[in-house]
Amino acid sequence: MEKTFHMLLYRAFHAQRSYLRPFLGELGLGSGQPKILAYLAAQGPCRQRQLADYFEIDPAAVSRMLDSLEKGGFITRRVDETNRRADIVGLTEKGRAACEAWQGHCREEEALMLDGFTPEEQAKFAEYLTRAYGNLRRHKP
């Protein structure tokens, strides 16, 4: 089979997901939920719309993820006093602990993925991925 960039990227993405997937269940999280926790840990409480915009996903999908995270005790929601139609989403201690554990697994996965790469190669790889993402975003249909 021809090794196109599309296929190489897909295979790397699939290998990454396969490595990390078992830890989701261990932490009581579903697919896509760790990124929400990581965003909240880094940025602090925010509106649901901000999450949807940042991750470029449908607000309804974010709402479903937040419902599940709230039921699991990972996040809280409160009414935004400046806009009563919007909720402010924040992490609970359980959510913060799950996020820290997840990020530890991600650091392990990155170390395995980048084994044998020099620091310069790692920096270039990050630059290439960032540029590829930017190229695709500029030409979004």
Side-chain angles (χ1 to χ4, degrees), residues 78-129:
R78 63 178 168 79
V79 174
D80 182 350
E81 295 302 323
T82 64
N83 178 356
R84 292 206 165 280
R85 294 181 296 153
D87 288 340
I88 299 292
V89 180
L91 282 180
T92 62
E93 284 307 312
K94 180 179 179 179
R96 192 168 308 288
C99 181
E100 289 172 13
W102 178 258
Q103 288 176 334
H105 293 305
C106 290
R107 284 189 294 277
E108 291 169 7
E109 177 268 326
E110 283 182 16
L112 292 170
M113 177 179 66
L114 297 173
D115 184 38
F117 284 64
T118 66
E120 294 79 19
E121 289 171 327
Q122 290 180 33
K124 281 293 189 188
F125 187 37
E127 178 188 335
Y128 297 152
L129 288 173

Short mmCIF file of all heavy atoms in Angstrom, two decimals, residues 78-129:
data_model
loop_
_atom_site.label_atom_id
_atom_site.label_comp_id
_atom_site.label_asym_id
_atom_site.label_seq_id
_atom_site.Cartn_x
_atom_site.Cartn_y
_atom_site.Cartn_z
N ARG A 78 -23.00 26.37 36.29
CA ARG A 78 -23.76 27.40 36.99
C ARG A 78 -24.21 28.43 35.96
O ARG A 78 -23.60 28.57 34.90
CB ARG A 78 -22.95 28.05 38.10
CG ARG A 78 -21.72 28.79 37.63
CD ARG A 78 -20.97 29.46 38.80
NE ARG A 78 -19.67 29.92 38.37
CZ ARG A 78 -19.44 31.03 37.68
NH1 ARG A 78 -20.42 31.81 37.32
NH2 ARG A 78 -18.21 31.37 37.34
N VAL A 79 -25.28 29.11 36.27
CA VAL A 79 -25.82 30.11 35.35
C VAL A 79 -24.85 31.30 35.28
O VAL A 79 -24.35 31.77 36.30
CB VAL A 79 -27.21 30.58 35.82
CG1 VAL A 79 -27.72 31.73 34.96
CG2 VAL A 79 -28.19 29.42 35.81
N ASP A 80 -24.59 31.75 34.07
CA ASP A 80 -23.77 32.94 33.84
C ASP A 80 -24.62 34.16 34.17
O ASP A 80 -25.65 34.40 33.53
CB ASP A 80 -23.32 32.97 32.38
CG ASP A 80 -22.42 34.14 32.06
OD1 ASP A 80 -22.27 35.05 32.90
OD2 ASP A 80 -21.86 34.16 30.95
N GLU A 81 -24.22 34.91 35.16
CA GLU A 81 -25.01 36.07 35.60
C GLU A 81 -25.09 37.16 34.52
O GLU A 81 -26.02 37.96 34.53
CB GLU A 81 -24.43 36.65 36.89
CG GLU A 81 -24.52 35.70 38.08
CD GLU A 81 -25.96 35.29 38.40
OE1 GLU A 81 -26.88 36.12 38.26
OE2 GLU A 81 -26.15 34.12 38.78
N THR A 82 -24.14 37.19 33.59
CA THR A 82 -24.17 38.20 32.53
C THR A 82 -25.05 37.78 31.35
O THR A 82 -25.40 38.60 30.53
CB THR A 82 -22.76 38.52 32.02
OG1 THR A 82 -22.20 37.34 31.42
CG2 THR A 82 -21.86 39.00 33.14
N ASN A 83 -25.36 36.48 31.28
CA ASN A 83 -26.20 35.96 30.20
C ASN A 83 -26.92 34.73 30.75
O ASN A 83 -26.40 33.62 30.69
CB ASN A 83 -25.35 35.60 28.98
CG ASN A 83 -26.19 35.02 27.85
OD1 ASN A 83 -27.40 34.81 27.97
ND2 ASN A 83 -25.54 34.74 26.73
N ARG A 84 -28.10 34.91 31.24
CA ARG A 84 -28.84 33.84 31.93
C ARG A 84 -29.15 32.63 31.04
O ARG A 84 -29.51 31.59 31.53
CB ARG A 84 -30.11 34.39 32.54
CG ARG A 84 -29.81 35.34 33.69
CD ARG A 84 -31.00 35.34 34.62
NE ARG A 84 -30.73 35.92 35.91
CZ ARG A 84 -30.12 35.30 36.92
NH1 ARG A 84 -29.66 34.10 36.77
NH2 ARG A 84 -29.97 35.90 38.07
N ARG A 85 -28.99 32.79 29.71
CA ARG A 85 -29.23 31.65 28.81
C ARG A 85 -28.00 30.77 28.67
O ARG A 85 -28.04 29.74 28.00
CB ARG A 85 -29.67 32.14 27.44
CG ARG A 85 -31.04 32.82 27.48
CD ARG A 85 -31.47 33.27 26.11
NE ARG A 85 -30.55 34.28 25.62
CZ ARG A 85 -30.29 34.53 24.36
NH1 ARG A 85 -30.88 33.83 23.41
NH2 ARG A 85 -29.44 35.46 24.01
N ALA A 86 -26.89 31.17 29.26
CA ALA A 86 -25.64 30.42 29.12
C ALA A 86 -25.18 29.90 30.48
O ALA A 86 -25.40 30.54 31.51
CB ALA A 86 -24.56 31.31 28.53
N ASP A 87 -24.55 28.75 30.45
CA ASP A 87 -23.96 28.17 31.66
C ASP A 87 -22.45 28.38 31.65
O ASP A 87 -21.83 28.41 30.59
CB ASP A 87 -24.21 26.66 31.73
CG ASP A 87 -25.65 26.32 32.05
OD1 ASP A 87 -26.36 27.19 32.57
OD2 ASP A 87 -26.05 25.17 31.78
N ILE A 88 -21.90 28.49 32.84
CA ILE A 88 -20.46 28.49 33.01
C ILE A 88 -20.07 27.10 33.50
O ILE A 88 -20.65 26.59 34.46
CB ILE A 88 -20.00 29.55 34.04
CG1 ILE A 88 -20.39 30.96 33.58
CG2 ILE A 88 -18.51 29.44 34.31
CD1 ILE A 88 -19.65 31.45 32.37
N VAL A 89 -19.11 26.49 32.83
CA VAL A 89 -18.67 25.14 33.12
C VAL A 89 -17.33 25.21 33.84
O VAL A 89 -16.44 25.95 33.42
CB VAL A 89 -18.51 24.32 31.82
CG1 VAL A 89 -18.06 22.90 32.11
CG2 VAL A 89 -19.79 24.34 31.02
N GLY A 90 -17.18 24.46 34.91
CA GLY A 90 -15.91 24.42 35.65
C GLY A 90 -15.60 23.02 36.13
O GLY A 90 -16.47 22.14 36.17
N LEU A 91 -14.36 22.79 36.50
CA LEU A 91 -13.91 21.48 36.99
C LEU A 91 -14.22 21.30 38.46
O LEU A 91 -14.14 22.25 39.24
CB LEU A 91 -12.39 21.34 36.83
CG LEU A 91 -11.83 21.03 35.47
CD1 LEU A 91 -10.31 20.94 35.56
CD2 LEU A 91 -12.39 19.75 34.92
N THR A 92 -14.50 20.07 38.84
CA THR A 92 -14.57 19.69 40.25
C THR A 92 -13.19 19.13 40.61
O THR A 92 -12.32 18.95 39.74
CB THR A 92 -15.62 18.60 40.48
OG1 THR A 92 -15.23 17.43 39.74
CG2 THR A 92 -17.01 19.06 40.05
N GLU A 93 -12.99 18.82 41.87
CA GLU A 93 -11.74 18.19 42.27
C GLU A 93 -11.57 16.83 41.59
O GLU A 93 -10.46 16.47 41.18
CB GLU A 93 -11.66 18.05 43.80
CG GLU A 93 -11.34 19.36 44.50
CD GLU A 93 -10.08 20.05 43.95
OE1 GLU A 93 -9.03 19.38 43.79
OE2 GLU A 93 -10.16 21.26 43.66
N LYS A 94 -12.66 16.10 41.46
CA LYS A 94 -12.62 14.82 40.76
C LYS A 94 -12.20 15.02 39.30
O LYS A 94 -11.40 14.25 38.76
CB LYS A 94 -13.99 14.13 40.82
CG LYS A 94 -14.03 12.78 40.13
CD LYS A 94 -15.40 12.12 40.24
CE LYS A 94 -15.43 10.78 39.52
NZ LYS A 94 -16.74 10.13 39.63
N GLY A 95 -12.72 16.06 38.67
CA GLY A 95 -12.36 16.37 37.29
C GLY A 95 -10.90 16.75 37.17
O GLY A 95 -10.21 16.33 36.24
N ARG A 96 -10.42 17.53 38.11
CA ARG A 96 -9.01 17.95 38.10
C ARG A 96 -8.09 16.73 38.27
O ARG A 96 -7.09 16.59 37.57
CB ARG A 96 -8.76 18.98 39.20
CG ARG A 96 -7.43 19.68 39.09
CD ARG A 96 -7.32 20.88 40.02
NE ARG A 96 -8.41 21.82 39.93
CZ ARG A 96 -8.63 22.67 38.93
NH1 ARG A 96 -7.83 22.68 37.91
NH2 ARG A 96 -9.65 23.50 38.95
N ALA A 97 -8.45 15.82 39.18
CA ALA A 97 -7.64 14.62 39.41
C ALA A 97 -7.64 13.73 38.17
O ALA A 97 -6.59 13.19 37.78
CB ALA A 97 -8.17 13.86 40.63
N ALA A 98 -8.80 13.56 37.54
CA ALA A 98 -8.89 12.75 36.32
C ALA A 98 -8.06 13.37 35.20
O ALA A 98 -7.36 12.66 34.46
CB ALA A 98 -10.34 12.58 35.88
N CYS A 99 -8.10 14.68 35.10
CA CYS A 99 -7.33 15.39 34.07
C CYS A 99 -5.84 15.18 34.30
O CYS A 99 -5.09 14.90 33.36
CB CYS A 99 -7.68 16.87 34.09
SG CYS A 99 -6.79 17.81 32.83
N GLU A 100 -5.39 15.31 35.53
CA GLU A 100 -3.97 15.12 35.83
C GLU A 100 -3.53 13.69 35.51
O GLU A 100 -2.46 13.48 34.95
CB GLU A 100 -3.69 15.46 37.29
CG GLU A 100 -3.77 16.95 37.56
CD GLU A 100 -3.68 17.30 39.05
OE1 GLU A 100 -3.31 16.42 39.87
OE2 GLU A 100 -3.99 18.46 39.39
N ALA A 101 -4.36 12.71 35.86
CA ALA A 101 -4.03 11.32 35.55
C ALA A 101 -3.97 11.11 34.04
O ALA A 101 -3.05 10.46 33.52
CB ALA A 101 -5.04 10.38 36.19
N TRP A 102 -4.95 11.65 33.31
CA TRP A 102 -4.98 11.52 31.85
C TRP A 102 -3.74 12.16 31.23
O TRP A 102 -3.11 11.58 30.34
CB TRP A 102 -6.25 12.17 31.29
CG TRP A 102 -6.30 12.11 29.80
CD1 TRP A 102 -6.03 13.12 28.93
CD2 TRP A 102 -6.60 10.96 29.00
NE1 TRP A 102 -6.16 12.68 27.64
CE2 TRP A 102 -6.50 11.36 27.65
CE3 TRP A 102 -6.94 9.65 29.29
CZ2 TRP A 102 -6.74 10.49 26.59
CZ3 TRP A 102 -7.18 8.78 28.24
CH2 TRP A 102 -7.07 9.20 26.91
N GLN A 103 -3.39 13.34 31.69
CA GLN A 103 -2.22 14.01 31.13
C GLN A 103 -0.94 13.23 31.40
O GLN A 103 -0.03 13.23 30.58
CB GLN A 103 -2.14 15.45 31.65
CG GLN A 103 -3.24 16.31 31.02
CD GLN A 103 -3.29 17.72 31.56
OE1 GLN A 103 -2.88 18.01 32.67
NE2 GLN A 103 -3.82 18.62 30.75
N GLY A 104 -0.89 12.52 32.53
CA GLY A 104 0.25 11.65 32.80
C GLY A 104 0.33 10.53 31.76
O GLY A 104 1.42 10.22 31.25
N HIS A 105 -0.82 9.93 31.44
CA HIS A 105 -0.84 8.88 30.40
C HIS A 105 -0.45 9.47 29.05
O HIS A 105 0.26 8.81 28.27
CB HIS A 105 -2.23 8.24 30.31
CG HIS A 105 -2.62 7.46 31.53
ND1 HIS A 105 -1.86 6.44 32.04
CD2 HIS A 105 -3.70 7.56 32.34
CE1 HIS A 105 -2.44 5.93 33.10
NE2 HIS A 105 -3.56 6.60 33.31
N CYS A 106 -0.87 10.68 28.76
CA CYS A 106 -0.52 11.32 27.49
C CYS A 106 0.99 11.60 27.42
O CYS A 106 1.60 11.43 26.35
CB CYS A 106 -1.30 12.62 27.30
SG CYS A 106 -3.06 12.35 26.98
N ARG A 107 1.58 12.01 28.53
CA ARG A 107 3.03 12.23 28.54
C ARG A 107 3.77 10.92 28.28
O ARG A 107 4.78 10.90 27.55
CB ARG A 107 3.48 12.87 29.86
CG ARG A 107 3.14 14.36 29.96
CD ARG A 107 3.79 15.01 31.18
NE ARG A 107 3.26 14.50 32.43
CZ ARG A 107 2.14 14.93 33.02
NH1 ARG A 107 1.43 15.89 32.45
NH2 ARG A 107 1.73 14.43 34.16
N GLU A 108 3.29 9.83 28.87
CA GLU A 108 3.89 8.51 28.62
C GLU A 108 3.77 8.14 27.14
O GLU A 108 4.74 7.66 26.53
CB GLU A 108 3.20 7.43 29.46
CG GLU A 108 3.45 7.54 30.94
CD GLU A 108 2.53 6.64 31.75
OE1 GLU A 108 1.80 5.81 31.16
OE2 GLU A 108 2.55 6.76 33.00
N GLU A 109 2.59 8.36 26.57
CA GLU A 109 2.36 8.05 25.15
C GLU A 109 3.27 8.89 24.26
O GLU A 109 3.87 8.39 23.31
CB GLU A 109 0.88 8.29 24.81
CG GLU A 109 0.52 8.07 23.37
CD GLU A 109 0.62 9.32 22.55
OE1 GLU A 109 0.35 10.41 23.08
OE2 GLU A 109 0.97 9.22 21.36
N GLU A 110 3.42 10.17 24.58
CA GLU A 110 4.29 11.04 23.78
C GLU A 110 5.74 10.58 23.86
O GLU A 110 6.46 10.60 22.85
CB GLU A 110 4.18 12.49 24.24
CG GLU A 110 2.94 13.18 23.76
CD GLU A 110 2.88 14.63 24.19
OE1 GLU A 110 3.90 15.21 24.61
OE2 GLU A 110 1.78 15.19 24.11
N ALA A 111 6.17 10.17 25.04
CA ALA A 111 7.55 9.70 25.19
C ALA A 111 7.78 8.46 24.33
O ALA A 111 8.83 8.33 23.67
CB ALA A 111 7.86 9.40 26.66
N LEU A 112 6.82 7.55 24.31
CA LEU A 112 6.94 6.36 23.47
C LEU A 112 6.92 6.73 21.99
O LEU A 112 7.72 6.23 21.19
CB LEU A 112 5.80 5.39 23.77
CG LEU A 112 5.82 4.74 25.15
CD1 LEU A 112 4.51 3.99 25.40
CD2 LEU A 112 7.01 3.82 25.28
N MET A 113 6.00 7.62 21.61
CA MET A 113 5.86 8.01 20.22
C MET A 113 7.13 8.70 19.70
O MET A 113 7.54 8.50 18.56
CB MET A 113 4.66 8.95 20.06
CG MET A 113 4.47 9.47 18.65
SD MET A 113 3.05 10.55 18.46
CE MET A 113 3.50 11.96 19.45
N LEU A 114 7.75 9.50 20.54
CA LEU A 114 8.89 10.30 20.10
C LEU A 114 10.23 9.68 20.45
O LEU A 114 11.27 10.33 20.32
CB LEU A 114 8.77 11.71 20.69
CG LEU A 114 7.54 12.49 20.22
CD1 LEU A 114 7.42 13.80 20.98
CD2 LEU A 114 7.56 12.72 18.72
N ASP A 115 10.21 8.42 20.86
CA ASP A 115 11.44 7.71 21.19
C ASP A 115 12.40 7.74 20.00
O ASP A 115 12.01 7.42 18.87
CB ASP A 115 11.12 6.26 21.57
CG ASP A 115 12.36 5.50 22.03
OD1 ASP A 115 13.21 6.09 22.71
OD2 ASP A 115 12.47 4.30 21.68
N GLY A 116 13.62 8.17 20.23
CA GLY A 116 14.61 8.23 19.16
C GLY A 116 14.62 9.53 18.38
O GLY A 116 15.50 9.75 17.55
N PHE A 117 13.64 10.41 18.64
CA PHE A 117 13.63 11.72 18.00
C PHE A 117 14.53 12.66 18.82
O PHE A 117 14.43 12.70 20.03
CB PHE A 117 12.22 12.32 17.99
CG PHE A 117 11.27 11.75 16.98
CD1 PHE A 117 10.88 10.42 17.03
CD2 PHE A 117 10.75 12.56 15.98
CE1 PHE A 117 9.99 9.90 16.12
CE2 PHE A 117 9.85 12.05 15.05
CZ PHE A 117 9.47 10.70 15.11
N THR A 118 15.36 13.42 18.14
CA THR A 118 16.16 14.42 18.84
C THR A 118 15.24 15.58 19.24
O THR A 118 14.14 15.72 18.67
CB THR A 118 17.28 14.98 17.93
OG1 THR A 118 16.65 15.72 16.85
CG2 THR A 118 18.18 13.89 17.40
N PRO A 119 15.66 16.40 20.20
CA PRO A 119 14.84 17.58 20.54
C PRO A 119 14.56 18.46 19.32
O PRO A 119 13.46 19.00 19.18
CB PRO A 119 15.69 18.31 21.58
CG PRO A 119 16.49 17.22 22.23
CD PRO A 119 16.80 16.26 21.10
N GLU A 120 15.52 18.57 18.41
CA GLU A 120 15.32 19.37 17.21
C GLU A 120 14.26 18.74 16.31
O GLU A 120 13.41 19.43 15.73
CB GLU A 120 16.64 19.54 16.44
CG GLU A 120 17.69 20.34 17.16
CD GLU A 120 18.44 19.56 18.25
OE1 GLU A 120 18.42 18.30 18.26
OE2 GLU A 120 19.02 20.21 19.13
N GLU A 121 14.29 17.40 16.16
CA GLU A 121 13.29 16.71 15.35
C GLU A 121 11.91 16.84 15.97
O GLU A 121 10.92 17.02 15.26
CB GLU A 121 13.66 15.23 15.21
CG GLU A 121 14.85 14.98 14.32
CD GLU A 121 15.33 13.55 14.36
OE1 GLU A 121 15.23 12.89 15.42
OE2 GLU A 121 15.81 13.06 13.30
N GLN A 122 11.84 16.78 17.29
CA GLN A 122 10.56 16.95 17.97
C GLN A 122 10.00 18.34 17.70
O GLN A 122 8.80 18.50 17.43
CB GLN A 122 10.71 16.71 19.47
CG GLN A 122 10.96 15.27 19.82
CD GLN A 122 11.11 15.06 21.31
OE1 GLN A 122 10.48 15.74 22.12
NE2 GLN A 122 11.94 14.09 21.68
N ALA A 123 10.85 19.35 17.78
CA ALA A 123 10.40 20.73 17.53
C ALA A 123 9.93 20.89 16.09
O ALA A 123 8.89 21.52 15.83
CB ALA A 123 11.53 21.72 17.84
N LYS A 124 10.66 20.31 15.14
CA LYS A 124 10.27 20.39 13.73
C LYS A 124 8.96 19.64 13.49
O LYS A 124 8.09 20.11 12.75
CB LYS A 124 11.37 19.82 12.82
CG LYS A 124 12.50 20.77 12.60
CD LYS A 124 12.03 21.95 11.79
CE LYS A 124 13.15 22.82 11.35
NZ LYS A 124 12.65 24.06 10.75
N PHE A 125 8.81 18.46 14.10
CA PHE A 125 7.59 17.68 13.96
C PHE A 125 6.39 18.49 14.45
O PHE A 125 5.36 18.57 13.77
CB PHE A 125 7.74 16.38 14.75
CG PHE A 125 6.64 15.37 14.57
CD1 PHE A 125 6.00 15.18 13.36
CD2 PHE A 125 6.26 14.58 15.64
CE1 PHE A 125 5.01 14.23 13.21
CE2 PHE A 125 5.26 13.63 15.51
CZ PHE A 125 4.63 13.46 14.29
N ALA A 126 6.53 19.13 15.60
CA ALA A 126 5.46 19.97 16.14
C ALA A 126 5.17 21.13 15.18
O ALA A 126 4.00 21.46 14.93
CB ALA A 126 5.83 20.50 17.52
N GLU A 127 6.22 21.72 14.63
CA GLU A 127 6.04 22.83 13.68
C GLU A 127 5.30 22.34 12.43
O GLU A 127 4.38 23.01 11.94
CB GLU A 127 7.40 23.40 13.28
CG GLU A 127 7.31 24.51 12.26
CD GLU A 127 8.67 24.94 11.73
OE1 GLU A 127 9.69 24.75 12.43
OE2 GLU A 127 8.70 25.44 10.59
N TYR A 128 5.67 21.17 11.91
CA TYR A 128 5.03 20.64 10.71
C TYR A 128 3.55 20.35 10.96
O TYR A 128 2.70 20.65 10.11
CB TYR A 128 5.72 19.37 10.23
CG TYR A 128 7.16 19.57 9.81
CD1 TYR A 128 8.07 18.53 9.91
CD2 TYR A 128 7.63 20.79 9.31
CE1 TYR A 128 9.39 18.70 9.52
CE2 TYR A 128 8.95 20.97 8.93
CZ TYR A 128 9.83 19.91 9.04
OH TYR A 128 11.13 20.07 8.67
N LEU A 129 3.24 19.74 12.10
CA LEU A 129 1.84 19.45 12.41
C LEU A 129 1.03 20.73 12.55
O LEU A 129 -0.11 20.81 12.09
CB LEU A 129 1.74 18.61 13.68
CG LEU A 129 2.19 17.16 13.55
CD1 LEU A 129 2.21 16.48 14.92
CD2 LEU A 129 1.32 16.39 12.58
#
